[in-house]
Every structure is written in structure tokens, then in C-alpha cells.
Amino acid sequence: MNSLYFEIFIGILKIFSFVVPVLVSVALLVYLERKVLGAVQLRKGPNVVGPFGILQSFADVIKLITKENLLPSSSNKFLFIFAPMLTLILSLIAWAVIPISSTYVISNINIGILYLFAVSSFGVYGVILAGWASNSKYPFLGALRSAAQMISYEVSIGFVIITVLICVGSLNLIDIVESQKNLWFAIPLLPMFVVFIISVLAETNRLPFDLPEDEATLVAGFFTEYSSISFGLFFLAEYANMILMSSLTVILFLGGWYPPLDIFPLNAIPGIIWFAVKVFLILFVFLWVRATFPRYRYDQLMRLGWKIFLPLTLIWVVITSSFLFYFGMLPN
Amino acid sequence: MFLLGTFYLFASFLIMTCLSVIFSKNPVNSVLFLVIAFLNSTFLFILIGAEFVGIILAIVYIGAVAILFLFVVMMLDIQITSLMYNIKRYVPLAILFSGIILAEIIYLTVYKTSKSHSNIIVRSENNTEQIGNVLYTNYFIDFQLSGIVLLLAMIGAIVLTHIYRPTIKRQNINKQNTTYSKDRVKLVKAKSGEGININD
């Protein structure tokens, strides 16, 4: 019995060793976003709290926690409070299967990629429930938009994942990374890599696809009625999701913890640092896109998802599998 | 013992949430209980070691089907009391369907033992691979047929909703992209004190 308690204790320690760095990097990502946006727009960005303003997001968190939490009088109270919690929980439980190096992972399951896909497709519930429970027009419109948007882009994400899986022959995330030891999938599957990054922008509701919280038309979209810490939870979940999806991109296309070339000065650096550097680059692309592109119109968004990405990814699945089959390069 | 305990926990949750789907007065709550019921059946599948089936159930039913249910139900403006009193109308239909399902279960358990698939090569404990092996060899025709049925359903849905009506304004993306500013905007020099005549 003692060994069982010990294992549970180790498990909890492992979970904390993932969750705490994720939450700290969320705070730093918010700071990075404001700095990058500032640099693009020739401003300074936050520079008052702490050295170079690096403690700005921690100050914001303290401000959010100490504000009053308002509940709209005609809202569905339980779902109104539950929705932001669900969003944050879903963005954190997905980290259970993300391998940061070949040995460092909480749970190495056979169907890791399907688990991630399932958890990311549940993410829409938080948004829909928040919009419906607020009992107000703008949040409801935001919820409907996000439901349609996330389901549309999940289809193309699914096909991109299938293309990668055909090349790997396994649903295990560690196997996916290890099959990229010599050649990252971003090179032979470059169009799929681009489609995946754009779909991830839509899936995490980031600009230029942030129609569910479009402040130009919907005030703040699905979290219009939220205040204080319940707004903070949505905010935290959005950035945790960004980091999660960036690590998924790194695992699927950029070779996880492997260096770009297997030569001396590069392979002496530990894998975790390579992983972090790649995630940072993808996150920087997210912020760069936000600073550069104007927001899409909703019909343009739907057209891109269904009429361009869906046929393109479908054809690429067929091309990849035919190519691998013809040249006898199928795994197993 | 531990496994049996977890089974009874999830199974009793499953039955409780299924009953709540039927008896809750607000249709949105019904759909949410349905989601919890799907989640519990996913747990049951994972408990017997069929993790692929379990996760696929979660992706398809929770990630897509239940969201569309929620989508439809949220937009209805239903009087909650009016839903309850005509529940007796559906009793014969319910008995019919549950009778069919009960007969199927009895037929499967009593008269038919499960097929043995001698051609499966068990290379690993990975049940994704085993399902793929069976699906694309023993049940290949059935698999393709179910795909064709789904394709027909999809085409049917598109035909039903995509009706051409001349009164509807549609956006022609090519036309929008090939428009130049000189087609739409005209620069006019207004004389001081006279202004311009719009009808020019």
C-alpha cells in the first residue's frame, strides 16, 4: 500500500512540474506579446513594473484577482462560473501526453495524438457555455461563431494529422518525434505545415481569426459579461492553449527535441532546450501574425476553411499515401 | 477489485446521467448530461482496454455531434412546461425501439458466439493496429458500404439545404477581388461656393 501512495505522490509532483512552468510561461507570453506588438508599432510596450517591465503580467493578475466578480442577474449561475474553469482545465490536462524529451512525459500512451485531438475539440464547450449562460446577445453571437469556426478548422487539422500519421505509422507522440530524427516533416510536408499553422490560429481563436471575441463588432464576444478572476481564467486558458498548440506543431513538424543537424555543437545542447526554442519560434509567429494581418470577415473565414483547406488537405492525404505506397516507403 | 469498483462507479454515473437526459426540464441541460454520459461510456471503453474505440467515441460524439445538438437546442425558444405534458405520446415508440435493441442483445448473447479472426497477427498490444487489420480484411465490404451510406446522407443534406433562389444576394468572390478603385470611387474637384451636382 505504501508504494501506491508513493506513486501517487510522484505523479502529483510530475503534474506540478508541467503545470507550474506552463502557467509561468503564460505570464511571460503575455509580456512578450505586448513587447512584440509594441516593437512592431514603434512603441516601448510595458516598461514600468520590474526590470524592463517583466513583472507587468504578475501585477495584472493581482489586479484581476482583487476586483469584484460580477454575476449577471438573469444568467445561468452554475454554467456561468463553470465555463471558464472548464476552458482552463481542458487547456491544462492536454499536457499529460506532451513529451518534452524522449523520457520526460507524464503519461506515454499509445494514442497520444488522438487524446490531444479529443481534448482540443472539447475546448469549444467552454466558449459555447459561456456565451449561452451569460444570457446576453453579444456573448451568444460570439459563442455561435466559435462553434462553427472551431468545428470547421478541426476537419482540416484532422486531415493534416492523418498525413503525418501515414508517414509515421504510430499514434504515439514519442514515435512521431523519433521518426523525424533525420528529416523534419516540415520539409517534405511543407504545405501541410502551413495549413496546420493557419488552422491552429483559427482553433485557438487568435488574430486574424478571433471572430468569437471580435471587439469591433461584438464588444468582447463570448466573455463580454465576465469580470475579475473568471475573465482571468479565460485569458489564462487562451494563452495556455497557444503554448499547447505550438508544442503540438513542434512535435508533428519540427522534430520535437532533435537538433536541426546531428553534428557536434548542435547535438551537445540538451533536447529540452531545443524543444523550448522551437516552441518560442512558433509562438513568435503567432504574435507576428497578430501584429501584421487585419481580421478576416466571417464568410471569408468559412470559405478558407471549407473550400480551400478541406480539399487541399484531402488531396494531400491521397498524394502522400500513394507516394509512400508506390515507392514502398510505408512504415511497418 | 479496484477495476471492478471503477467499473461500477462509471456505470452508475452513466445510468444516472442517461436518466437526467430524459427527465431534466431544460433541453440545454439534457444535452450537457448527454455529454457526460458519452464521457462515462468513453471511460468504460478505456477500462476494458479498448482505448481507440473510447477516444474515437469521445472525438465524434462529444467533439462534433453533441456540439451540433447544443447549437440547435440553444437557438430554440422552448416553453419548458409545454415539453413535459405530451411525453406520453412517445411511450409506444420508445417501447418499440428499446424492444428492438433488447432483442438484438439477446440474439447476440444467446445464439451467436463471436467470430474468431484467424488471420489477425497480434504483433503488439496496440489495439489501433488490430482494429485496422480486422476492418480492412474481414469487414472490408461492410466498411466501404457504410462509407457510401454516409456519402449519400451528406449529398442528401447538401441538396436539401442548397436551393437556388434568384432573390438571394450572393457574394461573388472573384468579382469582389477584380474590382478596382476607379470603378467605384470618382474624384471630383468641387468649385468653391458652388459644390457639386450629385446627378452628374
Side-chain angles (χ1 to χ4, degrees), chain B residues 146-177:
Chain B
S146 55
I148 289 171
V149 169
L150 284 176
L151 182 69
L152 277 179
M154 194 177 84
I155 292 173
I158 292 172
V159 167
L160 282 178
T161 51
H162 201 87
I163 305 167
Y164 179 74
R165 279 183 296 245
T167 52
I168 286 182
K169 282 185 180 170
R170 286 185 188 280
Q171 288 184 341
N172 187 342
I173 303 287
N174 287 331
K175 207 173 160 190
Q176 286 180 348
N177 284 341

Side-chain angles (χ1 to χ4, degrees), chain A residues 79 110-111 114-115 117-118 121-122 124-125 128-129 132 140 144 147-148 151 154 171 297 299 303, chain B residues 26 28 32 35 39 51-52 55 58-59 62-63 66-68 70-71 74-75 126 128 171 173 176:
Chain A
L79 288 180
N110 277 334
I111 47 166
L114 283 181
Y115 173 83
F117 191 67
S121 69
F122 297 168
V124 68
Y125 278 100
I128 291 188
L129 291 180
W132 182 77
F140 189 61
L144 294 184
I151 287 179
E154 252 157 40
L171 300 176
R297 214 170 54 203
D299 62 312
R303 180 170 162 265
Chain B
N26 190 337
V28 172
L32 294 178
V35 169
L39 205 60
E51 74 262 10
F52 182 76
I55 290 281
I59 291 175
I62 305 177
I67 287 178
L68 293 179
L70 201 61
F71 198 84
M74 277 194 324
M75 288 199 280
N126 193 339
T128 314
Q171 288 184 341
I173 303 287
Q176 286 180 348

